[in-house]
Amino acid sequence: MKNLLTDVKGVRVGHADDPKLASGVTTILFDAPAVAAIDIRGGGPGVRDDAVLDPVNTVERIDALALSGGSAFGLDAGGGVQAWLVEQGRGFAVRDALIPIVPGAIIFDLLNGGDKAWGRFAPYRDLGYAAAAAADTDFKLGSVGAGLGATTANFQGGLGSASAVTASGITVAALAVVNAVGSVTVGDGPWFWAAPFEMNGEFGGRGLPTSFTPDMLAMRIKGGPAATAAENTTVSVVVTDAILTKSQAKRLAMMAQTGMARAIYPVHLPLDGDVVFAAATCEKPIEPLVELSALGMTAANVLARAIARGVHHATALPFAGALPAWQDRFGR
């Protein structure tokens, strides 16, 4: 176990980013098409092909997911991933045509100090292609890929991942791009809201404060009263090797959303675009009531850990006025 999304067999992750742009793309590739669903709780989401994930709709499985910076411009990243998949002969077959199924979601990082004067066409399609081509079972955390330009209310955001195995032997893992309107730390830190679920000191081992003051529980949001839905989102993916239907994957995504509430304060606001994709590689049978419940419980824990790890591993952007990184202030 690497404590990564790729602990689920048949899953690979790739990043492509541009430091000058201060933005990038992360692609999740499935070696074989995966059953998938989506749950959206934030008030300002930016998503691609979310309708195909509705349990009532025809397409059962997806080939990849594209997570991107760039706000609505970043939705082009899915086209780049599709281009790479076509070259591999992958896609949903309609007679002689192959159509790769690549849902996705974006974060807003257009005002983080990076140079967004890209000319006529945004670079996200090319970044999507590069991220797909780079996909592997090992990948970096923090300020990489779609998480390069992410921020939170008080610290630099980033990309995190974590994994676990349930008591019945089902693997579940999460990946999160943390660009939340709220805070991932209690007050100004060093404690993470997700501390009760931390494993092996994976995000500093600081635990929780001995008591909570009113200041710690006060609302900290990015931009204060001027915050807008366009600026804030945590997009995430949970993947399991359990055999699930689309309806069960939808339930898994809904249960996993609890992990956001455990790791971000406040969360699911009108100002957020919070999204959880759930995907199943369908390798191991699962009992549909108790075992599915345990899987959802574990998925929520794993997602909370992934969110904290994204902020813990982040590095500050090299621009005037950039937010500090957690490790710059508190060490490892």
Side-chain angles (χ1 to χ4, degrees):
M1 298 285 284
K2 301 175 182 178
N3 204 20
L4 296 174
L5 191 76
T6 50
D7 285 330
V8 178
K9 182 181 177 182
V11 180
R12 291 176 288 145
V13 173
H15 302 310
D17 50 52
D18 182 340
K20 181 181 177 183
L21 185 70
S23 188
V25 173
T26 294
T27 297
I28 297 96
L29 292 181
F30 301 101
D31 290 346
V35 170
I38 188 173
D39 188 63
I40 301 172
R41 299 286 173 94
V47 291
R48 165 193 162 108
D49 277 355
D50 56 313
V52 77
L53 301 175
D54 191 311
V56 305
N57 289 333
T58 301
V59 174
E60 287 290 332
R61 298 183 180 233
I62 66 172
D63 298 290
L65 290 163
L67 311 182
S68 180
S71 190
F73 298 103
L75 294 175
D76 288 348
V81 179
Q82 282 184 310
W84 186 88
L85 286 164
V86 166
E87 293 176 353
Q88 317 310 310
R90 292 281 305 274
F92 179 74
V94 183
R95 296 198 295 275
D96 294 334
L98 285 178
I99 307 165
I101 307 300
V102 186
I106 50 87
I107 67 167
F108 183 98
D109 57 5
L110 299 181
L111 301 177
N112 61 9
D115 181 5
K116 306 303 194 295
W118 47 59
R120 177 170 293 178
F121 297 111
Y124 293 100
R125 184 179 65 176
D126 290 338
L127 287 169
Y129 183 96
D136 205 342
T137 54
D138 286 311
F139 61 95
K140 293 182 179 180
L141 304 183
S143 299
V144 292
L148 175 60
T151 56
T152 70
N154 53 352
F155 288 106
Q156 186 68 30
L159 182 144
S161 191
S163 66
V165 178
T166 70
S168 58
I170 302 296
T171 301
V172 61
L175 181 149
V177 181
V178 187
N179 190 58
V181 60
S183 175
V184 176
T185 61
V186 180
D188 288 321
W191 317 277
F192 286 94
W193 288 106
F197 308 96
E198 185 175 12
M199 303 290 290
N200 303 315
E202 63 192 335
F203 39 89
R206 301 301 182 97
L208 289 172
T210 55
S211 62
F212 287 81
T213 65
D215 179 65
M216 292 175 180
L217 298 176
M219 184 172 72
R220 286 174 169 80
I221 59 173
K222 191 190 304 179
T228 70
E231 297 182 24
N232 313 286
T233 285
T234 297
V235 296
S236 59
V237 180
V238 294
V239 181
T240 180
D241 56 6
I243 298 172
L244 300 181
T245 64
K246 281 178 75 174
S247 294
Q248 290 171 324
K250 173 71 173 182
R251 178 57 55 184
L252 178 61
M254 293 170 67
M255 291 187 285
Q257 283 276 12
T258 307
M260 284 201 190
R262 292 171 177 168
I264 302 169
Y265 182 86
V267 72
H268 299 152
L269 307 179
L271 310 173
D272 283 313
D274 299 328
V275 171
V276 175
F277 295 97
T281 60
C282 297
E283 296 289 331
K284 298 176 182 178
I286 187 171
E287 188 274 321
L289 296 178
V290 175
E291 286 188 355
L292 180 60
S293 299
L295 180 62
M297 176 191 73
T298 306
N301 296 348
V302 167
L303 179 53
R305 292 164 50 207
I307 290 168
R309 292 191 83 200
V311 172
H312 179 255
H313 282 266
T315 55
L317 293 172
F319 307 121
L323 286 167
W326 186 93
Q327 290 194 22
D328 289 342
R329 183 165 291 177
F330 303 112
R332 295 192 63 85

